[in-house]
Amino acid sequence: MADENKLSAGKRTSFGKGAARKLRAAGHIPAVIYGHGGEPQHVTLPAHETALLLRQSNVLLTLDIEGTKELVLVKDVQKDPVRQIIEHVDLIVVRKGEKVTVDISVHVEGDSFPGTIVVVDHSTLTVEAEATHIPTSLTVSVEGLTDGTQIHAGDVELPKGTSLVTDASALVLAITTPAGSSADDAAVEALAAASSAASTAAAEAAAAE
């Protein structure tokens, strides 16, 4: 995956808000690389290409920093709250085979038992995985699950080589029946019964005539 996510980066020598604004105006994003005991590296990334890659979470990138290759994981992305333009990116150095701790989104699939709803308590789970084999998401099926069913973090199937960091007892989702549903159903059934009785009485009256 990282081989497909290649970016050319430049070394950053000017700092401060003014310098950062100039970089962004020129189509670049300021970024900092941390990790493995080295001094933080201040670099610039191409804005358009970076924005496309950062549409996915936990992106692994191969940076070419003026001829030096560096494998990095995206840890934090800072955006303008109004324009949603990327203003800064934090990266950490990783090595192939090294394990990292990341948050993975939970994808719910299927339909629970008719009349019930799915209440999600944890939309992400923290796991430990190899930096080059980070799962894109964790799938939880609710197909046919009935009212009262609960799925906890320890119940979620993880890919091989991935281990759970979130407490196994943490509630991921629960199946429940919305309040008032039973009463509503009873009212509908009573109305249907009354309508049926009225229709029967009308038919008998018509026959008697």
Side-chain angles (χ1 to χ4, degrees):
M1 184 184 296
D3 291 338
E4 301 173 2
N5 299 338
K6 294 181 179 179
L7 287 176
S8 294
K11 294 181 180 179
R12 185 181 174 195
T13 55
S14 56
F15 304 94
K17 291 184 178 180
R21 281 196 295 269
K22 288 181 180 179
L23 278 175
R24 288 191 286 270
H28 299 282
I29 300 171
V32 180
I33 305 172
Y34 302 94
H36 287 274
E39 290 291 324
Q41 298 182 65
H42 298 269
V43 299
T44 62
L45 305 174
H48 180 67
E49 293 90 333
T50 302
L52 291 178
L53 291 175
L54 295 191
R55 289 178 178 178
Q56 51 187 315
S57 58
N58 301 313
V59 184
L60 197 64
L61 304 173
T62 298
L63 298 185
D64 184 340
I65 309 172
E66 298 181 3
T68 300
K69 297 292 180 64
E70 198 78 270
L71 187 64
V72 298
L73 179 69
V74 177
K75 288 299 290 182
D76 187 57
V77 178
Q78 299 169 25
K79 293 184 177 182
D80 181 283
V82 178
R83 297 180 296 166
Q84 289 299 299
I85 296 173
I86 298 175
E87 295 188 327
H88 191 274
V89 180
D90 286 342
L91 309 163
I92 59 168
V93 176
V94 295
R95 302 284 183 257
K96 289 185 177 181
E98 176 184 3
K99 289 199 170 185
V100 294
T101 300
V102 292
D103 293 332
I104 306 297
S105 62
V106 175
H107 173 67
V108 180
E109 68 175 16
D111 297 310
S112 58
F113 192 79
T116 64
I117 60 172
V118 181
V119 178
V120 178
D121 200 69
H122 276 72
S123 58
T124 63
L125 292 178
T126 304
V127 302
E128 186 179 65
E130 287 190 12
T132 52
H133 293 86
I134 298 174
T136 55
S137 65
L138 301 173
T139 301
V140 176
S141 175
V142 297
E143 187 63 37
L145 296 184
T146 56
D147 178 63
T149 303
Q150 295 184 339
I151 294 180
H152 298 85
D155 301 322
V156 179
E157 184 176 353
L158 301 178
K160 184 179 179 180
T162 301
S163 57
L164 185 66
V165 175
T166 298
D167 189 330
S169 65
L171 180 64
V172 176
L173 60 82
I175 310 300
T176 185
T177 301
S181 291
S182 297
D184 292 342
D185 291 343
V188 170
E189 290 176 3
L191 182 61
S195 176
S196 177
S199 296
T200 301
E204 291 175 349
E209 292 177 358

